[in-house]
Amino acid sequence: MTDALLTRIAQALERLAPPPALSADLATAPAYVWDGQAIRAVEAFDPVDYELLTGIDAQKGALLENSRRHATGHAAHDALLWGARGTGKSAVVASVVGQLQRDGQDIALLQCAIDELASLPTLFSLLRGTARPFILFLDDLGFDEGVGDARSLRSLLQGGTAARPANVRLYVTSNRRHIVPRHLSEQDDPINPRDVVDDRMALSDRFGLSLGFHALDQDAYVAIVGGYAAKLGLTFDPLDAIQWSTQRGSRSGRVAWQYVVELAGRNGMTV
């Protein structure tokens, strides 16, 4: 086969292959997403206002302080936000970053889908090329089968050449405190039941900051509705708010906000 023919074959293959994905400018956007191949800027980053999040004051205060430390180059933790669905775990992550940006801090949010965990070493290589602080956000993380993937993520937090760079902190939300489910059958392991339990708990132990978000009782739910309504200048009937949550089978910050959106719509307002 001649060199000319080899050259033509190579050129044909290059035309067939998709061009390498280009990553966005990491110095300019307030938020990004990682699709497993490239970092892309978020066109409209509009998180919930920090002051608007009510009923989770201790959690949002701790996360804001940790994030502020990271933004200013001080020691900061990776964070695990765990607990009941709809309690504000995801909203507070974006809200905290947005608040720091309004305060003049140069920090960005970068979300990675949980099905792209295997590509995190590639992402970390890209982020080592900038000194800008990043919050890497993994939303609704959980490992239902085995602990192999959990061990891989644990190694990225643990240190070494593939670990996250110093300008990156991981913020993870999960419905489970220990991320990997635990079962009573673990105690029946014939070899060493304690080792099985420790292996499943080891990933959550890598997060220096662990914040619990809990289901609301009726009074707390109504209080959250009241906080949202007051900030928007709305009045409401607590019994109507309770009926709204009953129809949805849940009391949470998310349901409270949905009720306030409904209330605003009834009054011809936008939120």
Side-chain angles (χ1 to χ4, degrees):
M1 189 176 292
T2 67
D3 290 342
L5 180 56
L6 288 173
T7 300
R8 288 199 300 272
I9 292 173
Q11 291 172 343
L13 290 174
E14 288 175 358
R15 288 192 296 270
L16 290 173
L22 299 177
S23 288
D25 184 349
L26 299 181
T28 57
Y32 303 84
V33 293
W34 167 250
D35 63 9
Q37 296 181 329
I39 302 172
R40 306 189 186 282
V42 173
E43 295 182 1
F45 180 55
D46 186 25
V48 176
D49 186 271
Y50 178 82
E51 297 299 332
L52 196 58
L53 292 174
T54 58
I56 51 171
D57 293 344
Q59 296 94 325
K60 75 176 189 178
L63 196 67
L64 179 64
E65 174 58 24
N66 188 68
S67 305
R68 193 185 306 279
R69 293 175 187 173
H70 182 50
T72 55
H74 298 155
H77 299 292
D78 298 299
L80 172 62
L81 289 69
W82 59 271
R85 60 186 177 87
T87 50
K89 301 184 298 296
S90 302
V92 75
V93 172
S95 178
V96 159
V97 173
Q99 181 62 43
L100 290 175
Q101 291 171 349
R102 286 190 292 273
D103 292 342
Q105 299 290 342
D106 184 22
I107 186 171
L109 183 69
L110 172 55
Q111 184 162 359
C112 172
I114 58 175
D115 56 359
E116 296 294 348
L117 293 180
S119 69
L120 285 183
T122 301
L123 173 60
F124 290 162
S125 296
L126 294 174
L127 294 177
R128 287 189 182 92
T130 177
R132 189 183 189 191
F134 279 86
I135 298 297
L136 177 58
F137 181 35
L138 303 177
D139 193 23
D140 197 20
L141 183 65
F143 300 103
D144 294 323
E145 299 293 337
V147 294
D149 290 336
R151 286 173 177 162
S152 298
L153 180 57
R154 188 175 73 199
S155 68
L156 296 175
L157 292 167
Q158 197 167 5
T161 57
R164 56 145 179 78
N167 63 318
V168 177
R169 288 296 178 272
L170 266 68
Y171 284 7
V172 171
T173 67
S174 176
N175 291 334
R176 309 186 187 104
R177 185 173 186 175
H178 298 297
I179 305 178
V180 179
R182 297 178 59 191
H183 306 285
L184 291 176
S185 60
E186 292 168 349
Q187 304 297 333
D188 300 329
D189 184 273
I191 302 175
N192 191 333
R194 186 67 227 175
D195 286 349
V196 176
V197 174
D198 286 347
D199 198 27
R200 292 184 177 272
M201 295 177 61
L203 176 56
S204 60
D205 288 345
R206 291 294 184 272
F207 294 90
L209 182 61
S210 180
L211 301 172
F213 291 71
H214 307 290
L216 302 173
D217 61 26
Q218 183 169 286
D219 290 341
Y221 164 76
V222 172
I224 290 176
V225 171
Y228 286 148
K231 291 180 184 298
L232 296 174
L234 294 166
T235 58
F236 76 101
D237 179 357
L239 292 179
D240 187 47
I242 292 170
Q243 183 180 17
W244 178 272
S245 68
T246 301
Q247 291 172 344
R248 280 145 190 80
S250 173
R251 290 191 298 263
S252 67
R254 178 183 298 159
V255 172
W257 176 248
Q258 289 169 345
Y259 171 74
V260 171
V261 170
E262 169 68 16
L263 196 62
R266 294 175 190 171
N267 286 272
M269 295 178 55
T270 59
V271 293

